[in-house]
Amino acid sequence: MAPPSGLHQSAIPSDFEKPFPALVRSSTVPASLKSHRADPSHLAPEDAYTPISPPRQPGLFDTGLDTRPRHIRRNDTSRSRSRRRKRFQKLLWVKQSYPDNYTDQATFLENLQRNPRVQPYDFWPLVADSTVILQHVCSVIIFIVCFVGIFQERVSPVSVVGWGSFATFLGWLLWDWWMTQEDQTGAGESGDMTRSMRDGRIYREYRPPRRQDSLPGPSLHQPLPNNISTASISSTSNLPSAASSTTNLLQYNHRPNPTPHQHHDNTSHNSTAPKLLTPGHSHSRSVSSVHSATSQNSANSPTSTRGPNHDSDPDSLPNTRAYLRVSTIKSAILIYFTLLGLSPILKSLTRSTSSDSIWAMSFWLLAINIFFFDYSGGTPSHISGPHKTKKMPVASLSTNAALMASTVLASRLPSTGQVFSLTLFSIEVFGLFPVFRSYARHRSWRYHFLLTVLLVLGAGGGVGIILGEAPATSWPWKRGLAGMVIGCLISAVAIGGCSWWLIGMQKYKNEIYGPWDPARPIIISRRHWDDD
Amino acid sequence: MAPTYNIAMVSDFFYPQPGGVESHIYQLSTKLMDRGHKVIIITHAYEGRTGVRYLTNGLKVYHVPFLVIFRSATFPTVFSFFPIFRNIVLRERIDIVHGHASLSNFCHEAILHARTMGLRTVFTDHSLFGFADAASILTNKLLKFTLSDVDHVICVSHTCKENTVLRASLDPLMVSVIPNAVVAENFKPLSPSENPSYPPPARPLGPHDIITIVVISRLFYNKGTDLLTAAIPRILENHPNTRFIIAGSGPKSIDLEQMIEQNVLQDRVEMLGPIRHEEVRDVMVRGHIYLHPSLTEAFGTVIVEAASCGLYVVCTQVGGIPEVLPSHMTVFAKPEEDDLVAATGRAIASMRANKVRTELFHAQVREMYSWENVAVRTERVYNGICGAISEGEFYGYYEGDNANNSWSATRGRSGVQSFALIDRLKRYYGCGIWAGKLFCLCVIVDYLLFLFLELWFPREVIDVCPDWPRKKRNDLSRE
């Protein structure tokens, strides 16, 4: 057998014929059962917050050499052969002079890493981030409060939906104003983008058209139409024709909103996709073919709301805005009348079901809504980069669950007007409001804080009022005030306590990485062919 | 004269299903039989393969009827395997139960029941698992359950040993590293007389000769097919006289085909689709370089096979791969597109410069890896757990070591695991706050089931089957 020409002296079969040397007990075995720390291969609690490799006692087998390269390559074969026992090598092809269960102190688990990528949390940023959850929980509570108010006939449904619609209108005005501002500041940028993308056309050809992950423009509002329309399909699925018409209407209702963003997108990106996807709200795959056909039409036909904006340059922005506003109002009216038409059907939807089932069901649906809500808040322009954000596959589940909950709750109500009010209100709360919230958060921290305070006060006050006994003759402001105070206290304690708890639990974090983990391939010229 | 044992290999994975674990079990069993042991294999029934079968060499295979749920792994019913397992074990007078593969439910159940019945158990781990995702956590807990009370564990590489020790909280001394092997006769390089249409590898490569790069793997994400897809166009662009042969199938093959079409590489990349294990050698000998872009690998038998066929190996430095081959046979790359392209470039350059003596690889690999060697080393494990070699020799104690030191919860005073139920329960109890109690409950139920079976189906009424004539152990001189 030809030895490998002096390159590797270790693979000489004579090594294996040496008798196994008598071994001392390795200190990896726990010397006493009391101190588990004596065993460096096992993890001890204190390892959780000391992100270093386990301490290594000098091994009993050390031959006195300090450096232990993994691949020993010495040309002086005669010297090493004269050594009685060679160092242990972590290699399989070498015939070792050690038994198979020999555990080398120096090299065993040398590549183990503990908590290599842990970033410690800070208290106040954590509190600030958790307000997103608080906002959503509060808006759900407000919705429930409104339902209870309507159900117990304390509040007139007209006032609920009136105030809700008024707030929505205000929010829309605010949003529209922000949009106008952004368009004015962003007009120059988009022109630059157009130019730069003209140069980068070759690169663009590599992209499949439906990859929309890295849109540079703020694509916050695009998922909304899909979510809403899906929800209405699911809620009105007993009526195919009505469903399709609702889809249509909702499509038109919300299609105008994203258009200013699409203006950015279309100039900067070759978005031939009829559907616009964002990673935050994943588009719902349950959208029916009717829906997709509709959206295709609306995207492609020049008479649709979106058509004329395709090639508009910054000069035509005011026209676009006005056009958008008109079409938004138009679609709002359309959705209003559709819901009005559907309300009698919804009213009798669950007449044969007992109320207990409805309460339980709506509780679980709202719980699903809270737990599966996409708290990352869409993809704001400054976060979405070339790196892929992790998609939440069940984001539309949240909205669908909430709208279903509102539908079954509305079907408990006795009159058509109440049903209509609650359904419209639920669309405002669960469909439109989250979008506004996440946009306000990315717009300014002050808006976000103000909104949080308002929501907490509203939810606390509402719960306080609702928990009173029979419908009070006068406005129960005392109860409401107490509720607000208690709500503020509870939310402060909850946010602070949970943040503190989470920080306290960080010491239990123990991530283990090592060579056994699947490597993460770094692929630069990634062609987006994978489906997910 | 060293003792011989009756060994039962238990795994969900065995022939007719092809695969690495399957061939490992078969080869190891055959070589152990050559050394005078009696080996049977217990697996579940495959379609068209039920009952008891004899393979070459008198290797007896029990195909136990069992519900298969996923990728030929059986449904984990902790106890339902016990009656038939006990029957087989008593019938064959088994001393040692040797389970394979950590995703095999049969293996875990068999180890549990064998310990209840008072048999020695060995477990061989063939794969690597992370610690992060939910599936791994579940598998690791299950592994911890089984391995709390096992006599010895065999891993196929040092990385695998570290992984298993961490996953199951084992004493590293009861984990041996015994690599896989290859049947070198089946992976010979091309002899000139065999097929004159290919140039013999010994001939020096000119600068304009075509260098063929072979890739044989299942085309899955964890086999690094994404890296391959990204690297192939760049490699072919940098090196004009090269071409690829890709064999294997999988969900990522569509990506490769799209890459080929997009870059118009149909005449330089040949996709063979799925091939049988017997054909691997015939594909390998068509090339000069073997490219292995895997992202995780416990051992990587295929690179040993490629080296045995006389191919220069380019592989990613992941898992146990760096331990497998000497560096004059391999070029290592980081699992990055750039580095893989660069490493392949280095390999092509040194092939063209005739620096690599691939014609010597086959003989060297045959020296490094052989199933006889694996069987000898496995036999030492059997000797150690059965007490044929002393505890000090097996685990590495001095005889005069003090008494405190030579006792641990994992091993009894004799150096082998104690069978007493209370000792076993002690080991299981440490598995976790809730899991420990649950495992203890399972063990107690298993023990009660054992007592019930002893009463209901007494040992006396179970026939003992006649043994296949054992081989004389003739190769003691080789050791």
Side-chain angles (χ1 to χ4, degrees), chain A residues 75-233:
Chain A
N75 292 324
D76 190 5
T77 53
S78 62
R79 209 191 68 177
S80 75
R81 209 183 293 182
S82 68
R83 198 182 291 272
R84 195 181 139 264
R85 184 196 301 147
K86 287 206 300 286
R87 270 171 294 165
F88 178 79
Q89 287 168 291
K90 224 172 164 182
L91 297 175
L92 297 171
W93 56 275
V94 180
K95 300 268 192 291
Q96 309 266 11
S97 49
Y98 293 91
D100 291 324
N101 59 347
Y102 172 73
T103 305
D104 190 50
Q105 291 287 299
T107 55
F108 189 66
L109 288 176
E110 66 179 343
N111 293 321
L112 175 74
Q113 290 178 301
R114 259 178 226 154
N115 296 337
R117 289 192 278 271
V118 169
Q119 302 166 315
Y121 291 114
D122 290 328
F123 183 73
W124 288 111
L126 200 61
V127 169
D129 286 341
S130 59
T131 51
V132 185
I133 302 172
L134 185 70
Q135 276 189 347
H136 188 69
V137 173
C138 284
S139 56
V140 171
I141 289 175
I142 288 174
F143 173 76
I144 296 169
V145 163
C146 288
F147 168 75
V148 174
I150 294 173
F151 188 69
Q152 295 180 345
E153 295 181 340
R154 292 191 191 186
V155 192
S156 101
V158 178
S159 73
V160 168
V161 81
W163 283 108
S165 303
F166 179 64
T168 310
F169 182 68
L170 278 185
W172 177 68
L173 283 184
L174 193 61
W175 178 81
D176 194 65
W177 180 56
W178 286 341
M179 281 295 101
T180 319
Q181 272 189 332
E182 197 152 280
D183 278 345
Q184 279 160 4
T185 55
E189 290 171 23
S190 80
D192 290 343
M193 277 181 199
T194 320
R195 241 170 284 127
S196 69
M197 281 315 291
R198 238 173 247 140
D199 304 333
R201 181 163 302 158
I202 304 155
Y203 176 66
R204 202 169 59 203
E205 284 168 6
Y206 277 104
R207 302 180 150 258
R210 50 193 209 82
R211 198 64 166 196
Q212 299 281 337
D213 271 2
S214 52
L215 295 181
S219 47
L220 197 66
H221 294 256
Q222 290 163 9
L224 186 60
N226 293 322
N227 281 342
I228 291 287
S229 53
T230 318
S232 14
I233 285 173

Side-chain angles (χ1 to χ4, degrees), chain B residues 355-392:
Chain B
K355 281 184 196 156
V356 191
R357 303 194 60 194
T358 51
E359 68 274 11
L360 302 176
F361 283 5
H362 176 69
Q364 292 164 6
V365 169
R366 199 168 58 195
E367 272 302 292
M368 294 170 195
Y369 295 107
S370 72
W371 285 110
E372 286 85 4
N373 182 16
V374 172
V376 170
R377 293 160 78 172
T378 310
E379 198 180 67
R380 180 175 175 273
V381 170
Y382 294 155
N383 285 336
I385 59 174
C386 290
I389 57 177
S390 74
E391 177 196 8

Side-chain angles (χ1 to χ4, degrees), chain B residues 64 98 162 177 191 255 324 329 355 424 432:
Chain B
V64 180
H98 189 158
E162 294 176 357
V177 177
S191 59
D255 288 1
V324 170
M329 293 185 187
K355 281 184 196 156
R424 297 182 59 216

Side-chain angles (χ1 to χ4, degrees), chain B residues 211 213 231-232 234-242 244 289-291 312-315 330-333 336-356:
Chain B
I211 284 189
I213 302 172
I232 284 179
R234 294 179 57 187
I235 293 169
L236 290 178
E237 194 182 346
N238 296 346
H239 305 280
N241 290 319
T242 50
F244 273 86
I289 292 173
Y290 182 79
L291 181 62
Y312 197 36
V313 176
V314 180
C315 54
T330 47
V331 180
F332 288 116
E336 297 165 13
E337 180 190 342
D338 283 347
D339 208 44
L340 195 67
V341 172
T344 316
R346 285 199 301 277
I348 292 171
S350 42
M351 285 298 284
R352 288 215 191 279
N354 289 316
K355 281 184 196 156
V356 191

